[in-house]
Amino acid sequence: DQQVKQNSPSLSVQEGRISILNCDYTNSMFDYFLWYKKYPAEGPTFLISISSIKDKNEDGRFTVFLNKSAKHLSLHIVPSQPGDSAVYFCAASVEGDDMRFGAGTRLTVKP
Amino acid sequence: KAGVTQTPRYLIKTRGQQVTLSCSPISGHRSVSWYQQTPGQGLQFLFEYFSETQRNKGNFPGRFSGRQFSNSRSEMNVSTLELGDSALYLCASSPMTGTGELFFGEGSRLTVL
């Protein structure tokens, strides 16, 4: 049951430009959303989160936007850096429980 | 503070065998979750344990099982291995259940021949 979908398996961006990663979900009960980043041979690491009572959360170069009516969230990285190249997973949960992940988007930032 | 430790990191098995993977959570973390990662499928939720009790279970067959010990360490077992079980198995811990943010280990890469 793919309740969380990342429809773009890969994204390539030039260094310094904006990276936009998208995520859609189907379960309207989800109320907490997170983004994780994964480098090869490492486990995913938490990047940024947002609760359903907000529509935007910002942390440095990373901003997550939530559109509840469209059941859509996005991660913006500005400016993108080569070190941002990784696989990004979107995740959603109900009150922090039973977290569901998307299939991931591989971001490549070219120097 | 040591991170989440998973053993073994790599293993090769043949069809029909069984395998046990181990996870030591971050000290003080009482919740442990397991995920299967395969190409194109992302992270599929297997189960979550908290205080030695299974709280949630994903949509996997009964061949996949797990347990948690009193020291919060967890094991997962896959019996009668199939080729499709080849994957990276990730363990994640968190201080309490329902807190959202997970801390992942590096995973155990299982190859079934």
Side-chain angles (χ1 to χ4, degrees):
Chain A
D1 59 344
Q2 284 287 79
Q3 297 184 45
V4 179
K5 298 179 183 179
Q6 293 177 256
N7 293 319
S8 297
S10 64
L11 173 68
S12 182
V13 172
Q14 206 66 34
E15 180 179 6
R17 306 296 292 269
I18 184 172
S19 295
I20 300 177
L21 296 97
N22 294 303
C23 177
D24 297 294
Y25 60 95
T26 57
N27 187 346
S28 58
M29 298 298 292
F30 286 144
D31 59 3
Y32 191 57
F33 304 88
L34 307 90
W35 285 93
Y36 284 81
K37 180 167 74 171
K38 185 180 186 300
Y39 292 116
E42 295 182 11
T45 55
F46 169 75
L47 187 58
I48 192 169
S49 64
I50 188 168
S51 99
S52 59
I53 62 173
K54 295 184 174 182
D55 55 16
K56 176 183 174 181
N57 188 27
E58 195 171 350
D59 183 3
R61 298 185 296 113
F62 302 89
T63 303
V64 56
F65 295 91
L66 176 62
N67 182 332
K68 288 189 292 292
S69 61
K71 294 192 181 72
H72 177 84
L73 68 156
S74 61
L75 174 68
H76 293 209
I77 306 174
V78 184
S80 302
Q81 300 174 353
D84 296 330
S85 297
V87 177
Y88 289 78
F89 291 98
C90 165
S93 69
V94 179
E95 296 180 346
D97 260 348
D98 195 9
M99 197 171 301
R100 304 288 170 149
F101 285 78
T105 297
R106 181 178 301 279
L107 173 66
T108 303
V109 180
K110 298 179 179 178
Chain B
K1 202 174 196 181
V4 177
T5 304
Q6 291 187 246
T7 57
R9 290 291 313 278
Y10 303 91
L11 66 165
I12 300 174
K13 293 285 187 177
T14 56
R15 279 182 299 174
Q17 286 186 311
Q18 67 92 25
V19 66
T20 299
L21 309 177
S22 179
C23 172
S24 293
I26 292 172
S27 177
H29 285 194
R30 296 168 61 191
S31 172
V32 173
S33 300
W34 289 89
Y35 290 84
Q36 180 196 63
Q37 185 188 3
T38 54
Q41 292 294 315
L43 278 69
Q44 302 287 312
F45 173 72
L46 280 155
F47 23 66
E48 182 202 356
Y49 288 89
F50 180 78
S51 293
E52 301 178 67
T53 301
Q54 186 179 90
R55 290 194 69 252
N56 289 299
K57 190 176 191 304
N59 190 25
F60 277 81
R63 300 184 297 108
F64 291 80
S65 63
R67 58 178 175 167
Q68 186 181 35
F69 302 95
S70 58
N71 61 358
S72 294
R73 191 177 70 85
S74 177
E75 288 180 348
M76 68 163 281
N77 185 280
V78 188
S79 62
T80 320
L81 284 167
E82 301 176 359
L83 295 179
D85 297 333
S86 295
L88 180 68
Y89 289 88
L90 290 160
C91 167
S93 73
S94 62
M96 294 288 291
T97 187
T99 56
E101 183 183 340
L102 302 177
F103 296 82
F104 283 87
E106 294 178 326
S108 293
R109 169 79 59 189
L110 170 65
T111 301
V112 182
L113 302 176

